[in-house]
């Protein structure tokens, strides 16, 4: 007995020594980097961060390192799993239990209680999705060092009670781009020159608006952690905000609340927010605030999506330095009302001190307001260390409550769904664009929503649905998420008196996916029975059908499908087929084909046209029909591969990035053009169409100005660029403008068009992000393939009317708003300002044309219902009138 005890003690001593030795082998971040984390003008690179995390995992049995995948530009996207060695040894078991809590169909109370007793709480923290918010990734080095090495009751208690998933950067590309750019400029006169391109290749700052549409690989990786691998109970996303107000925002969030978030989720977030609020003040830090600006309303960021999955999504926002350069702010006193305005008539010089803080009123949710002074990277690191440890403490202390909350709410969701109202959403198999419907189902499936397909016909709410219909029952744990994305939003805007400006929502007010994507999805309220099988969404299978061996064969593609544009781009790259849009409807073998139908005819040199079309059909997921072509003349547009230019300013325009993303997804070859390319002129020789993404006229013309801007990135297209665009259009080119860029085209080319919303104040018209109804002229080539009525996105967008005289320019409205209120989802104030106004139009100018899209046809790559308008504009730019041979 005694000997056995001695052996145990000896083994314990050896283990402790091993632990201490391993801990000693991990250098401190300061030893590793050669400078203290947060030192002025010093930033660790992504390579250094990744290597340090690998060292920490090698040195410590508390840390596991994984590379989950590669970022858009090929950098490692990493995740650390940090917990006690005992927990890490049974990590797969813990993970399996998390899944049982997430989908508790078979998990009764007593089995759940057993999980609560044996398991730690899983918490995810993601850092620096916005790459100019540099501090958190830097901070993570000191955080991980302490977690890896400290032998204290405090740290060990947290490690025993928590499985901590840490993503040190969820946009590694931006970490690389921003740090490289800063290191290139620091210490020079251009230290404050902003990055002239997006810090995520396609989305820039909007990388945190992609959480439900999941277009980018980084968003998909975070989604996989959340809804496939881990189902964490708590998810904190650490950000930075502007430099001039509060030092730190923590939850509780502000109003309004979204009705699809469980109050128990909000309460748990409030509680954990209070841990951070308390600990930062207890540590002697000031300027910490809760309950303002950041609301419970919108969908789009990953941590917000977590709310609708009954997870406790949290946000922290630190005041920013200028990357790693300190910021000076003039001081003020408590309860002092500063009357100093931001200087107008030009950008603020970032080298000058900021005006004093304006919000100096001490109050419950902001008891020690920030009153100005010097603010440095190290300050942010210090606050972030305190708040991150506070959260881990709060999760450890409330482990069982958080587990029970998640389990109970997931059970409740299933029960609520069974009762109906709503009971399910049904997607009939016949859709205007089956690819859009498949995409909608796919993104819901990736977010943990269970989707079914009906094996047989069924009846629900008195309607018959065929076999093959897709069904999303509401009796599932994450029903609130599906419901919120499928139903219309009704934003609870607080009423204002006439002439007052309504309160601006944090982001958009509505997003209903079926409306944005032109997908038919029917809400069913009463319970029904149907034979359902689980279904993993996939794009429609492309196929060549009909009669491919016809003697005089033609191939028909549905213009209604967005994917057909992709197929057309493949076809236009070949010289053995000719591609047409029918300019009139026609009949073949009793089948009616609408105007705009895509007709492909092989040339004499085509060796095996059926094989070519079949291959393209499969690759682009389009159904192509082969027919015997009748010997009739059919008026048509003959397409040629358009030579597309996409304007990229040096102001890092997200809308340009989204446009570029969309063009690449649908196979449109394009050339990026900058200010110098446009100013050089002779554009018609190079391009058929030039696209301007949403950007103000002033920004396009003048770009960034200031002597702190690197000279090669100053300025815009200028007067020379305007003259070149005018000549380009007059000589037959097509100019396409999105959103506010319309103002440039209207003014610079003198178009007989007026943006009716240009000077309308928000007190009269206000629509800060909603889905609206539009009416489309689908007999105009721009409208081919569109239904006559559909949903479109709108975010304080321009709308147009024609201004006489315009005999020569023959403007044609292609999209109009209805005379009645066009709101389908979200919020609109002053809808009468849109009544019968034009949303998109074509204007002749010389021998070319200008196409103005007021509303965002490609908004964050979401409104599949209106992508086609842009695709048509691009294809049409190189089309000529013809007859199909
Ligand atoms: Zn941010």
């Amino acid at each position: 007995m005694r000997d056995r005890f001695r052996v145990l003690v000896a083994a314990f001593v050896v283990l402790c020594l091993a632990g201490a030795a391993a801990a000693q082998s991990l250098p401190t971040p300061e030893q590793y980097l050669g400078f203290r984390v947060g030192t002025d003008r010093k930033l660790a690179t992504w390579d250094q961060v990744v290597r340090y995390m690998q060292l920490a995992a090698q040195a410590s049995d508390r840390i596991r390192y994984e590379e989950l995948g590669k970022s858009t530009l090929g950098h490692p996207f990493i995740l650390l799993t940090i917990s006690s060695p005992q927990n890490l040894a049974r990590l797969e078991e813990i993970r399996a239990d998390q899944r049982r809590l997430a989908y508790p169909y078979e998990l009764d109370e007593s089995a759940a209680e057993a999980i609560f007793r044996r398991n730690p709480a899983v918490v995810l923290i993601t850092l620096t999705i916005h790459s100019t918010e540099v501090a958190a990734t830097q901070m993570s080095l000191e955080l991980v060092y302490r977690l890896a090495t400290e032998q204290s009751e405090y740290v060990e208690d947290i490690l025993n009670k928590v499985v901590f998933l840490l993503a040190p950067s969820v946009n590694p590309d931006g970490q690389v781009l921003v740090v490289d750019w800063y290191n290139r400029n620091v210490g020079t006169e251009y230290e404050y020159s902003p990055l002239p391109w997006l810090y995520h290749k396609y989305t820039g700052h909007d990388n945190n608006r992609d959480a439900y549409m999941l277009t980018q690989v980084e968003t998909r990786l975070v989604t996989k952690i959340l809804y496939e691998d881990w189902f964490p109970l708590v998810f904190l996303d650490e950000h930075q905000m502007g430099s001039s107000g509060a030092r730190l925002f923590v939850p509780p969030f502000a109003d309004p609340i979204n009705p699809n978030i469980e109050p128990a989720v909000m309460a748990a977030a409030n509680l954990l927010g209070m841990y951070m609020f308390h600990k930062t003040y207890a540590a002697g830090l000031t300027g910490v605030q809760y309950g303002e600006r950041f609301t419970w309303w919108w969908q789009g960021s990953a941590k917000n999506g977590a709310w609708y999955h009954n997870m406790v999504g949290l946000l922290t926002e630190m005041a920013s330095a200028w990357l790693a350069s300190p910021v000076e702010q003039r001081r003020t006193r408590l309860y002092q009302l500063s009357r100093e305005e931001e200087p107008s008539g030009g950008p603020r010089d970032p080298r000058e001190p900021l005006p004093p803080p304006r919000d100096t009123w001490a109050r419950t949710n902001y008891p020690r307001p920030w009153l100005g002074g010097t603010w440095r990277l190290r300050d942010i690191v210090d606050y972030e260390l305190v708040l991150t440890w506070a959260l881990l403490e709060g999760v450890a202390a409330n482990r069982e409550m958080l587990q029970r909350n998640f389990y109970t709410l997931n059970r409740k969701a299933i029960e609520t769904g069974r009762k109906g109202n709503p009971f399910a959403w049904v997607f009939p198999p016949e859709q205007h664009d089956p690819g859009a419907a498949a995409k909608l189902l796919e993104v819901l499936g990736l977010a943990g929503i269970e989707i079914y397909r009906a094996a047989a016909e069924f009846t629900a709410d008195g309607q018959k649905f065929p076999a093959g219909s897709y069904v999303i029952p509401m009796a599932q744990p994450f029903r609130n998420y599906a419901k919120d994305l499928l139903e219309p939003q009704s934003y609870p805007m607080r009423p204002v008196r006439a002439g007052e400006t309504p309160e601006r929502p944090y982001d958009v007010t509505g997003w209903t996916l079926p409306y944005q994507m032109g997908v038919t999805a029917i809400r069913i309220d009463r319970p029904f029975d149907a034979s359902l099988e689980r279904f993993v969404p996939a794009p429609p299978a492309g196929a060549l059908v009909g009669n491919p061996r016809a003697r005089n064969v033609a191939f028909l593609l549905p213009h209604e499908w967005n994917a057909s544009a992709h197929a057309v781009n493949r076809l236009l790259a070949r010289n053995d087929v000719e591609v047409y849009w029918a300019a009139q409807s026609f009949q073949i073998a009793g089948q009616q084909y609408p105007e705009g139908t895509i007709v492909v005819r092989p040339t004499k040199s085509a060796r095996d046209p059926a094989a070519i079309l079949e291959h393209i059909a499969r690759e682009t997921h389009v159904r192509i029909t082969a027919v015997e072509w009748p010997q009739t003349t059919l008026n048509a547009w003959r397409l040629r591969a358009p030579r597309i230019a996409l304007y990229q300013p040096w102001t890092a325009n997200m809308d340009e990035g989204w446009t570029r993303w969309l063009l690449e997804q649908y196979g449109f070859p394009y050339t990026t053009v900058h200010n110098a390319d446009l100013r050089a002129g002779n554009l018609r020789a190079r391009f058929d169409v030039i696209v301007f993404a949403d950007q103000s006229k002033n920004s396009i013309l003048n770009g960034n100005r200031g002597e702190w801007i690197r000279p090669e990135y100053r300025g815009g297209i200028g007067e020379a660029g305007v003259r070149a665009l005018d000549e380009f259009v007059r000589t037959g080119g097509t100019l396409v403008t999105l959103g506010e860029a319309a103002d440039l085209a209207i003014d610079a080319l003198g178009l007989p068009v007026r943006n009716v919303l240009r000077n309308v104040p928000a007190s009269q018209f206000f629509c800060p992000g909603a889905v609206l109804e539009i009416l489309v002229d689908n007999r105009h080539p721009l409208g081919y393939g569109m239904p006559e009525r559909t949903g479109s996105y709108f975010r304080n967008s321009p709308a147009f009317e024609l201004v006489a005289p315009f005999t020569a320019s023959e403007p044609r409205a292609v999209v109009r708003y209805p005379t009645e209120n066009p709101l389908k989802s979200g919020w609109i104030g002053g809808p009468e300002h849109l009544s019968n106004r034009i949303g998109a139009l074509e204007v002749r100018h010389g021998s070319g044309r200008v196409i103005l899209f007021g509303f965002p046809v490609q908004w964050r790559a979401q409104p599949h219902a209106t992508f086609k308008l842009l695709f048509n504009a691009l294809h049409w730019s190189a089309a000529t009138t013809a007859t199909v041979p």
Side-chain angles (χ1 to χ4, degrees):
M1 185 74 187
R2 185 159 247 180
D3 281 350
R4 207 172 136 206
F5 180 69
R6 206 172 288 149
V7 171
L8 276 177
V9 169
F12 182 71
V13 170
V14 169
L15 279 174
C16 287
L17 287 174
Q24 273 166 17
S25 72
L26 180 65
T28 66
E30 184 165 357
Q31 288 164 342
Y32 172 78
L33 295 172
F35 59 88
R36 186 172 181 237
V37 166
T39 299
D40 285 355
R41 300 185 169 81
K42 294 278 193 189
L43 290 170
T45 65
W46 185 237
D47 282 351
Q48 288 176 310
V49 173
V50 168
R51 185 72 197 124
Y52 189 78
M53 298 312 181
Q54 290 169 342
L55 290 176
Q58 284 160 17
S60 168
D61 54 3
R62 299 164 171 180
I63 296 179
R64 283 197 191 168
Y65 168 97
E66 279 171 280
E67 182 180 315
L68 299 186
K70 296 289 188 204
S71 65
T72 301
L73 298 179
H75 297 292
F77 186 106
I78 68 172
L79 182 72
L80 303 184
T81 307
I82 304 170
S83 194
S84 70
Q86 294 78 6
N87 286 335
L88 291 182
R90 49 182 291 271
L91 200 60
E92 286 313 309
E93 216 178 299
I94 296 168
R95 194 208 291 255
D97 280 342
Q98 278 304 115
R99 176 170 280 276
R100 295 167 75 205
L101 294 178
Y103 296 99
Y105 297 108
E106 312 284 326
L107 191 66
D108 64 24
E109 297 274 350
S110 66
E113 290 293 335
I115 291 178
F116 307 156
R117 277 193 299 275
R118 71 175 174 252
N119 275 5
V122 180
V123 54
L124 169 67
I125 300 186
T126 56
L127 306 179
T128 318
I129 188 171
H130 292 150
S131 309
T132 47
E133 301 164 11
V134 289
T137 300
Q138 307 292 314
M139 178 276 294
S140 71
L141 299 172
E142 289 192 2
L143 178 71
V144 166
Y145 178 78
R146 189 172 170 201
L147 283 161
T149 60
E150 187 170 301
Q151 310 283 326
S152 67
E153 220 173 285
Y154 173 76
V155 169
E156 278 161 11
D157 185 56
I158 288 173
L159 292 172
N160 285 331
K161 292 177 178 165
V162 172
V163 169
F164 173 21
L165 308 169
L166 174 65
S169 169
V170 287
N171 181 22
D173 295 350
Q175 169 75 17
V176 172
L177 292 167
V178 167
V179 174
D180 284 356
W181 174 256
Y182 183 70
N183 287 340
R184 178 178 158 195
N185 293 306
V186 67
T188 75
E189 61 203 297
Y190 305 122
E191 185 164 322
Y192 298 91
S193 195
L195 187 70
W197 40 80
L198 298 168
Y199 57 60
H200 177 279
K201 183 180 178 188
Y202 299 107
T203 65
H205 199 79
D206 266 353
N207 60 355
N208 198 32
R209 310 282 183 266
D210 189 42
Y212 57 79
M213 197 49 95
L214 302 174
T215 65
Q216 304 298 314
V217 293
E218 294 82 3
T219 328
R220 288 192 173 218
L221 288 169
V222 172
T223 300
K224 185 168 180 295
I225 298 170
L226 286 167
Y227 309 126
E228 189 177 329
D229 294 345
W230 275 110
F231 305 95
L233 307 172
V234 176
F235 170 21
L236 168 63
D237 194 25
E238 297 194 21
H239 284 249
Q240 289 172 216
M241 53 187 174
S243 303
S244 56
R247 298 298 90 185
L248 168 61
F249 166 87
V250 296
F253 293 96
D255 294 332
I257 64 170
N258 185 307
N260 287 321
I261 304 168
E262 291 290 344
V265 167
M266 296 194 269
N270 297 349
L271 177 74
L272 294 176
M274 280 299 117
Y275 269 82
M276 298 189 272
F277 190 72
H278 169 257
K279 281 279 168 183
T280 41
Y281 275 112
L285 304 174
T286 62
V288 185
Q289 184 181 75
Y290 68 82
E292 297 193 23
R293 188 168 157 208
F294 303 98
T295 72
W296 283 108
W297 180 257
W298 69 286
Q299 284 260 22
S301 85
K303 69 107 186 22
N304 295 28
W307 298 333
Y308 307 84
H309 291 80
N310 300 322
M311 300 169 182
V312 183
L314 301 165
L315 167 75
T316 57
E317 294 269 359
M318 287 295 315
S320 295
W322 182 276
L323 302 177
S325 305
V327 165
E328 293 293 334
Q329 185 169 20
R330 287 208 295 283
R331 289 174 191 276
T332 183
R333 281 173 300 141
L334 206 56
Y335 305 118
Q336 180 79 32
L337 276 187
S338 169
R339 306 217 179 277
E340 191 172 350
E341 299 288 334
E342 289 280 328
S344 58
R348 199 187 66 80
D349 185 338
R351 300 163 302 182
E352 296 293 318
L354 288 168
R358 309 178 106 209
D359 183 0
T360 60
W361 232 256
R363 52 194 186 268
T364 308
N365 66 331
Y366 192 36
R368 295 285 182 276
W370 163 253
L371 298 174
T374 308
W375 188 247
R376 3 180 66 96
L377 180 61
R378 183 67 217 188
D379 295 320
I380 310 171
V381 169
D382 286 338
Y383 275 69
E384 284 180 336
L385 283 168
V386 173
L387 74 86
T388 306
W389 283 105
L391 180 73
L392 294 173
E393 265 181 62
V395 173
N398 296 282
R399 179 186 64 84
E400 208 176 319
M401 178 277 280
L402 293 164
Q403 289 171 322
R404 185 172 285 112
N405 202 44
F406 185 54
Y407 166 74
T408 308
L409 292 175
N410 293 342
R411 285 281 293 251
K412 179 186 162 198
I414 298 167
E415 287 307 312
T416 308
R418 282 195 185 122
K419 292 181 196 139
N421 194 29
F423 184 75
W425 262 265
V426 178
F427 296 67
E430 279 303 313
Q431 294 278 345
H432 184 79
D433 178 355
K439 173 62 72 178
L440 201 170
L441 295 172
E442 183 201 352
V443 297
L444 291 177
L446 289 170
I449 300 301
E450 297 170 312
I451 300 163
Y452 296 81
R453 186 164 49 192
E457 185 187 90
F458 65 98
T459 303
D461 274 1
Q463 286 190 67
K464 264 198 177 13
F465 294 97
S469 295
Y470 304 103
V471 179
I472 299 182
M474 286 295 101
Q476 57 176 303
F478 305 142
R479 76 183 277 281
N480 290 346
Y481 183 75
K483 181 170 175 284
D484 198 63
L485 290 170
L486 294 171
E487 72 182 7
Q489 277 69 53
S490 175
Y491 185 82
M493 184 70 80
R494 283 191 192 275
V496 292
R497 271 190 274 264
E500 280 179 4
T501 302
E503 201 174 311
R504 186 170 293 280
Y506 179 72
D507 194 78
V508 298
T509 63
W511 39 79
T512 314
L513 290 182
Y515 294 168
Q516 282 203 66
M517 299 177 80
V519 172
T520 305
I522 296 156
R523 173 182 159 134
I524 303 295
D525 278 330
R526 278 174 288 154
F528 62 88
D529 276 323
S531 164
L532 301 178
E533 41 200 41
R534 269 304 290 278
F535 166 73
V536 178
L544 179 62
V545 298
N547 179 15
R549 303 294 155 207
R551 199 175 41 82
N552 187 30
V553 69
F555 302 94
L556 307 180
L557 283 69
H559 210 132
E560 292 78 9
W561 297 27
N562 285 337
S564 289
H566 194 185
V568 164
N569 286 325
R570 291 290 188 84
L571 292 162
L572 291 176
R574 308 183 62 93
N575 54 18
D576 53 2
V577 290
E578 292 173 356
V579 184
Y580 300 86
W581 289 346
Q584 57 185 104
S585 61
F586 59 96
Q587 265 197 356
I588 292 177
Q591 173 81 37
Q592 184 75 24
Y593 293 92
E595 208 166 328
T597 297
I598 300 161
V599 182
V600 178
R601 296 279 280 152
T603 64
K604 290 199 176 62
S605 69
R607 297 253 309 277
D608 187 354
I612 295 163
L613 270 291
E614 175 152 31
H615 181 72
I616 290 176
R618 285 185 198 286
E619 289 216 332
T620 58
H621 306 283
V622 179
R623 191 181 56 213
I624 300 178
T625 308
V627 296
E628 180 77 46
W629 190 247
Q631 301 294 329
T632 55
T633 44
L634 182 73
N635 292 324
W637 293 93
R638 165 89 196 266
L639 303 191
R640 287 181 178 77
R643 299 169 303 160
I644 301 167
L646 177 61
Y647 171 64
Q648 185 177 71
W650 297 124
T651 54
N653 180 1
M654 290 183 282
D655 202 56
E656 182 274 331
W658 283 118
T659 309
R660 184 156 36 83
W661 164 256
L662 202 63
L663 296 188
E664 290 182 16
Q665 292 308 296
Y666 287 88
F668 284 91
Y670 66 88
T671 304
T672 292
V673 291
H674 294 115
N675 296 328
D677 299 296
L678 295 185
R679 286 196 295 251
N682 196 25
L683 298 166
R684 186 70 189 102
R686 294 178 64 196
F687 302 114
D688 298 303
V689 56
I690 301 177
V691 181
F692 280 75
D694 187 15
Q695 188 183 358
S696 76
K697 174 188 163 186
N698 180 44
S699 175
I700 295 169
L701 281 176
N702 302 315
N704 283 329
R705 285 169 299 164
E707 61 202 43
W708 61 91
I709 308 276
R710 276 197 165 272
E712 62 270 37
Y713 302 117
R714 283 180 204 161
I717 69 169
E719 284 308 314
V722 168
R723 279 196 302 276
L725 286 174
D726 185 65
E727 184 201 82
F728 169 74
V729 179
R730 284 184 187 283
T731 52
T734 297
L735 176 63
V736 174
T737 66
L738 305 177
E740 281 192 57
D743 291 337
L744 175 87
I746 292 169
D747 292 353
L749 308 189
L751 304 181
V753 179
R754 195 171 77 87
N755 171 4
V756 295
L757 298 175
R758 197 164 173 176
N759 296 313
V760 178
S763 58
Q764 287 176 36
F765 176 81
F766 193 50
C767 186
V771 189
L772 304 186
E773 178 151 71
I774 52 172
L775 312 177
V776 183
D777 176 1
N778 57 14
R779 304 195 58 199
H780 186 285
L782 281 179
Y784 283 167
M786 297 285 293
E788 284 175 3
R789 278 176 182 262
T790 190
S792 69
Y793 213 78
F794 191 97
R795 194 187 190 191
N796 289 331
S797 309
F800 309 108
E801 67 175 359
L802 304 180
V803 187
F806 43 77
T807 40
S809 52
E810 302 173 64
R812 275 187 72 185
V814 182
V815 174
R816 277 187 187 276
Y817 296 98
T819 44
E820 69 275 14
N821 187 339
L823 183 68
K824 287 174 75 76
S825 178
W827 195 83
I828 188 169
E832 63 278 6
H833 286 267
L834 278 182
S835 179
N836 203 32
R837 296 303 193 194
I838 298 169
L841 77 163
E842 173 216 353
V843 192
R844 297 295 173 83
H845 185 70
S847 53
R849 59 173 83 97
V850 182
I851 295 165
L852 307 175
F853 292 112
F855 60 96
V857 289
Q858 77 329 357
W859 168 251
R860 294 175 182 167
Q862 295 183 18
H864 286 242
T866 56
F867 289 173
K868 230 181 304 331
L869 292 165
L870 177 61
F871 298 163
N872 285 344
L874 299 175
H875 280 144
W876 195 36
S877 73
T880 47
T881 51
T883 53
V884 181

